Each structure stands twice: as C-alpha cells, then as structure tokens.
Amino acid sequence: MQKRCLFALYSFILIFLLGGCGQEPHESKDIAQRKESIVEKSVPTEKDETPEEGKVVPSDLSGLKAHFIDVGQGDSTLFQFSDAGEDFTILIDAGNWTGDEVIQYLRSQKVSQIDIAIGTHPDADHIGQLDQVINTFNVGEVWLSGNTNPSQTFQRLLKAIDAKKVDYYEPRMGEQFEVGPLHIDVIYPKTISEQDNEESISLKLTYGDVRFILTGDATTDDELKMLQSGIDVKADILKLGHHGSSTSTHPHFLREVQPAVAIYSAGLNNTYGHPHEEVVNLVQNSTIQLYGTNVHGTVIVETNGKDFKILTKKDGTITPSSSGNTVKDEVKVEPAPIAGNCIDINTASIEQLQEIMHIGPARAQDLINLRPFSSVNDLGRINGIGPARIADIKSQGLACIGG
C-alpha cells in the first residue's frame, strides 16, 4: 500500500554537490509495542477548540508516541504512529557523534524504516549519529536546514545521503506537510545565512487536537521572529530550545505557546549547566510541567489525538541549579588528534588551535578557558572574534565541533 504522505513538493537537490539522489519504494514494517519499564504520569489537558472542517476527528486516530530520547548532552526525538495499517516514523535529530544511543534505541523499538530523518542544524550533538541512522535503516528522505559545517561529522552525513541515494529537502517557514494523519508546519527558518543554531529547523506537529513544537537550538531572537511571522505557535508540548539554555525560551514565546508540558534534552552533570536556572524558574513559575532527560531519562508522550499522558524511564524532580556560565580557570589540555584537516575546538591543544585563522596564543588560551563551544559560530564569545572573523574561520575549514 502506498503511503498517504505528501513528502516531495519540489525536486530534491543537494546544494552540497549531492545532486541526483533518489529512492526505491519500500515496504512499511510493523513496529512492536514498547516493553521497557516506565513510570506513568497523567497530564490533564484543556481543549477548547472544535475540530476544524476537514480536520481528522481524534476518535478516528490510532495512538502516537513521541519519544524524547535520553542521548546525554545531545538531542533526538522519535515520532511513531499508524494510519489504516500503515506505520510512520519521523526522527528529529540523532544525538552526539560520540555514541550510538539513537541506533540502539531505534532497534529497541523495532524500527526498520524511517520516513523522514531531520537534522535541525549541523552541530555534532544533533546530527552526530544521523549518518549511522541512514546506513542502518531504510530512510525515505532527509531534511536539513541547508547550513553547512566543516566537521567530519557533517561530512560523513553528506556521504551517507549520497551513498544511500536518499531524497533530500530543505524546509522553509510557511510550508506545510501531511504525513498520514500528522500535520507538520515549518515555523523556521525563512532563509539561511550560515547561522547554525539560530536557523535551526523548527516545527509544529499536530496530531488531532494535540500539538508539539520543537525548535532545535533556535535563540530567543529567532523565537520572536517566529511570533512576528504570524504563525500560530500554540502547543501542548514544547521541546525547550538549546537543551534548556538561557539563549532560548523567551518569556513572550513561552506565553504564546502556552504549553501544558515542557521537555528538554541534556546530559547528567553536563559542563554547560543545562538546563539554566532562569529557564527552569520561568517554566515552573508558569505552572508548566517540566521534564528533562538528565533527570527522567527518556520521556515519552502518548496521545490518541485528544488527550495525552507522559511516561518517563525514571522518576525525579527538576530543581533550579547554577547556570554554570562562570569563566573557568586556565585549563591544561593534552594534544588531541586531528581528523583529516578538522581541528576540534573543544579538545585541541593550545598549539593546534593556533593553526586556525585569527587564533593566536592569547586567543587560543581564551578559547580553552571558555570551552565548551556548541558551534564554530559560538567562537564569537572570544574577545576580538566578530562575525567577519568567524566567516574567515569557517571559510578556512579547519575549525569544527566533534570529529
């Protein structure tokens, strides 16, 4: 049976010289029931709308599961649902390049195919295992923002897309897609300019009456641009931007979304201090239920399109903590190997860092003191490194995050 999905609106062309990608038709596979032990929490929801004309009536829907996977200091979300005997799977981000948690979790859920695999932006903690996903599972198409990164992680992803001849697409603000009974609105970005975090693919996913918003690592400024676009951002479940960092979750954005539940993905005792204290306070003071993978493990939202409940791998309570944003004392770092021509700015020695354009001895030490960095653009935190110099550094192609 051919899937009732609207996937390709245009001819999919890789701007990274990956043109000509196609895909053979594939059969859908049954997805087995999840068997892991979990703690169940019911979440009351208030629904005031009547189904719009032409909208799928929630009683006609089978169940949907949204898995906010515990991948440590990274990000990965899996949507699973069925319609008329057809199974659908959407993966948004794929954890850090240093592990294989996403692959193992997909296998534990008996996933054999993925209809859409989305990398919200090219940072290694979001696309880290996406090449493994493409090489391991039958992937229908890949969505990326169009921004690039010199890291080996990103290059491996491009090679996997090319080798497997997977369809490729760059979604833009205002586009809408129907994947079976799931409606997807693209709420960001409208255009791209190599601002990786800021131009994360941001989506609103609607299943019956239940709505999810995921914004990758988009910043507060970008959240305000989403509001200015006039797109309806009201949702029941909000995935907090940038792992619960204070760079995301603008108070006005949170008020407009009006979520019943907020979820973030962060590693236990991570060096970034995620989630930041001000975000935790903002969410909890807004009487929004807060879940985080560093406390609860994998968080699952189950819905029939009308009501939903939250399932967690572990029980726990999130409390405000230090933001961890204080500047570190001088750090001594052992030399790290360079993969090809890529210098990982989070692990390289002071000598290796000076191979990067505009990074002399003093700035190399500043860089080490300010680590870790979430992207090459994040080098702007170093005194004297502005947008023009970051552009030079990215053009040189030596600096990267991850390997």
Side-chain angles (χ1 to χ4, degrees):
M1 181 183 297
Q2 186 176 1
K3 289 186 176 296
R4 296 182 291 115
C5 311
L6 178 56
F7 284 154
L9 298 182
Y10 310 100
S11 297
F12 301 117
I13 301 173
L14 275 176
I15 64 171
F16 319 107
L17 300 181
L18 296 179
C21 292
Q23 184 198 16
E24 296 297 323
H26 55 269
E27 297 295 329
S28 64
K29 303 293 183 182
D30 291 335
I31 300 176
Q33 189 76 14
R34 176 178 45 80
K35 299 178 180 178
E36 60 186 336
S37 175
I38 51 181
V39 178
E40 180 175 325
K41 295 180 177 62
S42 296
V43 177
T45 60
E46 295 182 2
K47 301 296 179 188
D48 55 4
E49 67 265 38
T50 301
E52 300 170 4
E53 183 178 354
K55 184 177 180 180
V56 177
V57 178
S59 61
D60 293 340
L61 297 176
S62 58
L64 174 145
K65 293 180 183 178
H67 310 246
F68 298 84
I69 306 170
D70 180 9
V71 292
Q73 188 59 27
D75 226 312
S76 187
T77 306
L78 171 69
F79 283 82
Q80 291 179 305
F81 54 100
S82 302
D83 182 54
E86 297 288 341
D87 296 325
F88 297 88
T89 305
I90 298 173
L91 181 68
I92 303 175
D93 288 327
N96 208 320
W97 65 280
T98 55
D100 66 350
E101 304 92 342
V102 174
I103 301 298
Q104 296 306 321
Y105 191 83
L106 293 174
R107 284 174 171 162
S108 77
Q109 303 307 305
K110 310 301 181 187
V111 171
S112 60
Q113 68 162 28
I114 296 170
D115 296 288
I116 309 175
I118 302 170
T120 59
H121 61 292
D123 282 0
D125 62 327
H126 286 252
I127 62 161
Q129 297 165 47
L130 204 49
D131 64 315
Q132 298 180 51
V133 170
I134 293 170
N135 289 326
T136 304
F137 302 97
N138 189 359
V139 177
E141 63 188 68
V142 171
W143 293 4
L144 299 178
S145 68
N147 284 324
T148 60
N149 193 295
S151 73
Q152 294 299 307
T153 302
F154 185 70
Q155 300 308 315
R156 285 196 299 268
L157 171 57
L158 296 185
K159 290 177 182 177
I161 294 171
D162 192 31
K164 292 294 184 176
K165 295 181 169 54
V166 179
D167 287 339
Y168 174 86
Y169 189 63
E170 295 174 6
R172 292 292 179 261
M173 177 190 286
E175 292 182 326
Q176 299 181 349
F177 301 86
E178 304 291 339
V179 183
L182 182 72
H183 181 83
I184 301 177
D185 289 285
V186 182
I187 59 176
Y188 212 70
K190 187 174 184 179
T191 59
I192 57 170
S193 58
E194 292 295 346
Q195 302 295 311
D196 295 350
N197 284 0
E198 294 87 341
E199 293 162 355
S200 293
I201 295 174
S202 300
L203 305 171
K204 179 177 178 179
L205 302 97
T206 303
Y207 191 75
D209 288 343
V210 178
R211 303 151 298 181
F212 301 78
I213 282 186
L214 299 90
T215 61
D217 282 356
T219 67
T220 53
D221 287 344
D222 301 293
E223 291 170 347
L224 294 178
K225 291 177 183 177
M226 297 177 203
L227 299 183
Q228 292 166 3
S229 72
I231 294 175
D232 179 10
V233 296
K234 286 184 173 57
D236 304 281
I237 296 96
L238 172 64
K239 177 74 164 7
L240 294 179
H242 207 173
H243 317 281
S245 168
S246 59
T247 61
S248 302
T249 313
H250 192 286
H252 187 40
F253 182 73
L254 190 65
R255 284 196 299 271
E256 289 298 316
V257 176
Q258 298 179 6
V261 171
I263 302 170
Y264 67 85
S265 178
L268 183 65
N269 299 321
N270 65 86
T271 57
Y272 299 89
H274 294 158
H276 287 167
E277 180 177 8
E278 49 267 55
V279 174
V280 173
N281 284 330
L282 173 64
V283 171
Q284 293 182 333
N285 290 340
S286 302
T287 66
I288 297 166
Q289 294 192 36
L290 180 61
Y291 296 88
T293 58
N294 63 331
V295 173
H296 299 102
T298 294
V299 179
I300 300 174
V301 180
E302 289 189 349
T303 179
N304 58 5
K306 188 66 177 177
D307 302 306
F308 64 88
K309 60 185 176 182
I310 305 295
L311 311 170
T312 63
K313 182 68 175 178
K314 298 180 289 186
D315 207 355
T317 302
I318 298 170
T319 57
S321 60
S322 172
S323 67
N325 283 338
T326 56
V327 177
K328 303 175 182 177
D329 294 332
E330 181 174 336
V331 179
K332 300 295 184 183
V333 181
E334 293 298 321
I338 300 176
N341 291 325
C342 178
I343 298 175
D344 185 346
I345 59 177
N346 281 330
T347 60
S349 69
I350 193 168
E351 291 81 11
Q352 290 170 333
L353 290 170
Q354 292 176 62
E355 297 294 322
I356 301 172
M357 185 179 297
H358 301 308
I359 304 295
R363 285 188 182 137
Q365 187 60 63
D366 287 346
L367 187 153
I368 290 173
N369 290 342
L370 290 169
R371 289 202 288 216
F373 293 86
S374 61
S375 69
V376 174
N377 288 327
D378 201 21
L379 289 174
R381 290 196 281 134
I382 300 172
N383 187 32
I385 301 294
R389 286 182 172 171
I390 287 177
D392 289 342
I393 290 170
K394 294 177 79 169
S395 296
Q396 184 189 25
L398 279 181
C400 69
I401 299 291

